[in-house]
Amino acid sequence: MEKMKLLWAEKPLLVIIWLAIIFRFIAVIFAKGFGMHDDHFLVIEVSQSWIDGVNFNHWLPGSDANAQPSGHSFFYTGLSYFLFYLLHLLQINDPQTKMFIVRFIHAAFSLITVYYGYKIAEKIDNKSSAKIVGILLAIYWIMPWLSVRNLVEVVCIPFLILGIWFIVNSEQKKNIMLAYFLSGVFFGLAFSIRFQTLFFTAGVGLALLLLKRWKASVYFILGLIPCICIIQCSSDYYFWGYPFAELGEYIRYNIENAYNYLTSSWYTYILLLLGILIPPISLFLFFGFFRTGKKHLLLFLPTLLFLVFHSYFPNKQERFIIPIFPFIIMLGVIGWNDFVVKSKFWQSHKQWLRGSWIFFWIINTILLFFVSTMYSKRSRVESMVYLSKYKNIHNILIEDSNHGRSKRPPQFYLGQWVKIREYANSKEYSPLSKVYSGAQKSDYPDFILLFGDKNLEKRIDSIKTIVPHIQYETTIRPGFIDIVLFKMNPINSNQTIYIYRNTDFFPTKLN
């Protein structure tokens, strides 16, 4: 124990990095599956389909279903494509093995956030604040799990961190203007991963102007604009024949559909951050964050601008706010530490403060072990893994009539691209009797996946009136955390899946 204390005192960054590595590697091993729709179906499913010669989601031209841009940057998905192509050349084709490699790469990449988050805090404040910032970025309960996800909101963070680092460390460089140029390049890369980071980048540019760093602003723009143009224009010219095709469609789509997704009050993200940062420490961090506006304008203004825009925009999803997590933590710790040192109240009530941090670390540690090992969307993934042993599947029916919308199965794990027919309880879906009326035998499902237990026997009987020769195959159950999340909010479609086989096509069960 004494050696650990000495190591923490003398080499805190080394301890922080090793803790980050350990818990991220735990997540690499155990945190299978996917967290949300976008980190699988907009990255993994799309890029693997291109390897297999399929135009999943019709992103590419040449499809009757899509003759125009879909509003998605090809940069990150393209990188995923090249990785899968390399694995294909190496004959690494097992989906779970490929995703282990993907999680490992993302976990390693996320260490940039931990390392330079510490360095930035140390540079703009002191070693004491940097130690707290570093340890939070390393083992804050959701960070290891997020680090292995394919979410663009997470993947863009190291680029934002590096962009800030090159500016705050520019005084140590012989060529200061080169540092600002490189900062612009990294912010351009962040934008090419996640378009909304433009608001963070705009905040950086505005801060430079307010600080009257005119020459630096020019070099920053010279790094930013060409980087964006080269990355975005090259793919858009190749696929669509004109520049910024995907960006233009992205802006149009989001404006027209601002109210068609999850909408809530302007303070939603503030409450979310206060909750997941674990009160009362979250209150301290938020208070500290707003105290840093004048002294640390370069970090504060872009973070605030990003938060204000997303708070104002009607469409609100939890993942949208993820890019500023590290900066809220960083500035929160710095501002709070500065306040505590100057506060007579907290100087005379240090036990209260110590108790708050003890409570935080107890809750954080419990959550850390549960979440870092969470196999998210297990039933949907494992149902496809199970069916992958059957070759030449043509049709799968997804029956989720207990809900208004069904959930798409991840065919990446199936290893085949088949026709998926979905059915749920809303006018959006035609009745199955109508769908299969007059259909060819080859159009009937090879397998039926029934989501959830409710009214199960009644639903099976209903399906048998259309597909009479079906036989129970197996049951795929969700993981523990999936069950908890589903009970908390049924919008998290983490249900038990019952698989039935159409014996007209597959007479016998494979072991």
Side-chain angles (χ1 to χ4, degrees):
M1 183 61 70
E2 290 300 322
K3 288 184 178 180
M4 284 299 299
K5 289 181 179 179
L6 183 63
L7 188 62
W8 175 244
E10 295 181 352
K11 297 180 179 180
L13 184 54
L14 180 64
V15 175
I16 288 166
I17 292 298
W18 270 110
L19 283 172
I21 290 173
I22 290 169
F23 281 95
R24 277 156 179 74
F25 192 63
I26 290 173
V28 168
I29 296 172
F30 296 105
K32 298 179 181 180
F34 57 96
M36 306 166 194
H37 176 92
D38 288 20
D39 62 312
H40 181 81
F41 292 99
L42 299 188
V43 182
I44 301 302
E45 205 90 339
V46 173
S47 54
Q48 182 61 49
S49 76
W50 295 343
I51 299 293
D52 299 331
V54 176
N55 188 8
F56 178 79
N57 260 357
H58 311 291
W59 279 22
L60 302 178
S63 168
D64 293 336
N66 184 30
Q68 64 181 23
S70 59
H72 298 96
S73 174
F74 282 97
F75 182 53
Y76 178 48
T77 306
L79 293 176
S80 178
Y81 165 80
F82 286 116
L83 172 62
F84 284 154
Y85 185 72
L86 174 62
L87 297 178
H88 174 72
L89 293 177
L90 296 173
Q91 297 186 349
I92 300 175
N93 296 314
D94 174 64
Q96 293 286 26
T97 302
K98 286 191 286 188
M99 288 311 298
F100 177 91
I101 295 170
V102 168
R103 291 195 298 274
F104 182 87
I105 292 172
H106 282 72
F109 185 57
S110 75
L111 294 176
I112 292 173
T113 299
V114 180
Y115 180 85
Y116 284 102
Y118 174 96
K119 299 293 286 185
I120 291 169
E122 184 180 40
K123 184 71 178 179
I124 66 176
D125 197 45
N126 55 50
K127 192 172 183 178
S128 177
S129 292
K131 289 164 71 174
I132 300 174
V133 169
I135 202 71
L136 288 175
L137 295 179
I139 57 173
Y140 170 59
W141 63 273
I142 202 170
M143 293 301 268
W145 184 83
L146 281 177
S147 73
V148 300
R149 303 270 74 86
N150 296 93
L151 279 171
V152 292
E153 293 86 354
V154 177
V155 178
C156 71
I157 293 175
F159 293 114
L160 296 177
I161 290 285
L162 286 170
I164 291 293
W165 168 249
F166 271 97
I167 293 179
V168 301
N169 195 47
S170 60
E171 295 178 1
Q172 305 298 318
K173 303 292 183 183
K174 293 181 179 179
N175 191 339
I176 295 178
M177 294 304 111
L178 177 61
Y180 282 95
F181 174 83
L182 291 174
S183 175
V185 170
F186 280 111
F187 280 112
L189 292 170
F191 172 83
S192 297
I193 297 288
R194 176 64 171 164
F195 288 147
Q196 278 96 330
T197 59
L198 182 62
F199 293 96
F200 190 96
T201 304
V204 174
L206 182 58
L208 291 176
L209 294 176
L210 292 174
L211 294 170
K212 298 182 179 180
R213 300 182 189 179
W214 315 115
K215 191 175 180 180
S217 300
V218 172
Y219 279 87
F220 178 79
I221 292 172
L222 288 175
L224 174 70
I225 301 300
C227 178
I228 292 175
C229 290
I230 290 171
I231 294 176
Q232 294 302 312
C233 293
S234 58
S235 60
D236 286 349
Y237 263 117
Y238 179 80
F239 289 115
W240 306 111
Y242 59 96
F244 298 112
E246 296 292 349
L247 176 61
E249 175 61 20
Y250 182 81
I251 294 172
R252 182 204 66 78
Y253 180 86
N254 278 277
I255 291 175
E256 293 183 3
N257 293 274
Y259 292 93
N260 293 338
Y261 291 89
L262 296 175
T263 58
S264 52
S265 304
W266 65 267
Y267 50 81
T268 297
Y269 287 126
I270 294 176
L271 294 179
L272 174 66
L273 289 167
L274 288 174
I276 62 177
L277 286 170
I278 308 174
I281 294 299
S282 61
L283 297 171
F284 301 162
L285 294 179
F286 240 74
F287 177 79
F289 168 75
F290 284 102
R291 291 189 76 253
T292 62
K294 187 176 181 180
K295 187 175 182 181
H296 302 295
L297 185 68
L298 191 63
L299 276 76
F300 176 81
L301 188 57
T303 307
L304 180 65
L305 187 60
F306 190 92
L307 177 60
V308 168
F309 167 76
H310 282 85
S311 297
Y312 168 78
F313 196 72
N315 182 7
K316 290 180 176 64
Q317 299 178 44
E318 294 92 339
R319 59 186 174 85
F320 289 173
I321 210 67
I322 291 175
I324 61 171
F325 273 4
F327 300 99
I328 294 286
I329 291 172
M330 198 180 305
L331 293 176
V333 168
I334 291 171
W336 177 252
N337 281 355
D338 178 68
F339 173 72
V340 169
V341 169
K342 299 174 182 178
S343 170
K344 292 182 180 179
F345 175 84
W346 286 111
Q347 288 301 314
S348 60
H349 293 82
K350 291 183 178 180
Q351 287 299 109
W352 290 14
L353 189 59
R354 183 172 179 270
S356 297
W357 277 107
I358 290 173
F359 175 78
F360 170 86
W361 283 115
I362 290 173
I363 299 300
N364 186 81
T365 302
I366 294 171
L367 291 173
L368 178 66
F369 281 98
F370 273 105
V371 175
S372 296
T373 57
M374 179 173 68
Y375 188 162
S376 183
K377 306 296 185 289
R378 182 187 182 278
S379 58
R380 288 165 68 187
V381 171
E382 287 297 324
S383 64
M384 293 294 102
V385 172
Y386 178 87
L387 289 178
S388 65
K389 64 187 179 183
Y390 289 94
K391 306 305 177 185
N392 299 316
I393 297 174
H394 295 98
N395 294 278
I396 293 177
L397 171 62
I398 305 298
E399 202 277 5
D400 193 6
S401 57
N402 293 322
H403 297 92
R405 290 189 64 87
S406 66
K407 295 296 183 180
R408 182 180 293 170
Q411 294 184 71
F412 170 83
Y413 295 95
L414 180 64
Q416 305 169 62
W417 300 94
V418 306
K419 184 175 182 179
I420 302 293
R421 191 179 299 280
E422 302 174 17
Y423 177 68
N425 187 20
S426 74
K427 295 180 180 179
E428 181 181 340
Y429 302 89
S430 300
L432 292 178
S433 58
K434 183 178 179 181
V435 169
Y436 289 106
S437 177
Q440 299 291 325
K441 183 179 179 181
S442 58
D443 290 330
Y444 280 75
D446 300 288
F447 292 91
I448 299 96
L449 276 61
L450 294 102
F451 281 54
D453 306 279
K454 187 178 178 181
N455 299 321
L456 183 60
E457 293 300 325
K458 182 179 178 181
R459 291 155 59 201
I460 294 171
D461 290 340
S462 177
I463 289 175
K464 283 183 176 180
T465 63
I466 303 168
V467 191
H469 303 136
I470 62 173
Q471 184 173 333
Y472 170 77
E473 178 81 7
T474 192
T475 300
I476 308 293
R477 302 192 181 280
F480 172 73
I481 301 295
D482 276 348
I483 295 172
V484 172
L485 292 175
F486 178 69
K487 289 184 177 180
M488 290 174 61
N489 188 352
I491 198 173
N492 299 303
S493 185
N494 306 321
Q495 307 157 68
T496 298
I497 296 177
Y498 299 90
I499 300 178
Y500 279 75
R501 171 171 39 88
N502 186 345
T503 58
D504 286 342
F505 300 124
F506 291 93
T508 59
K509 178 179 179 179
L510 298 181
N511 295 322

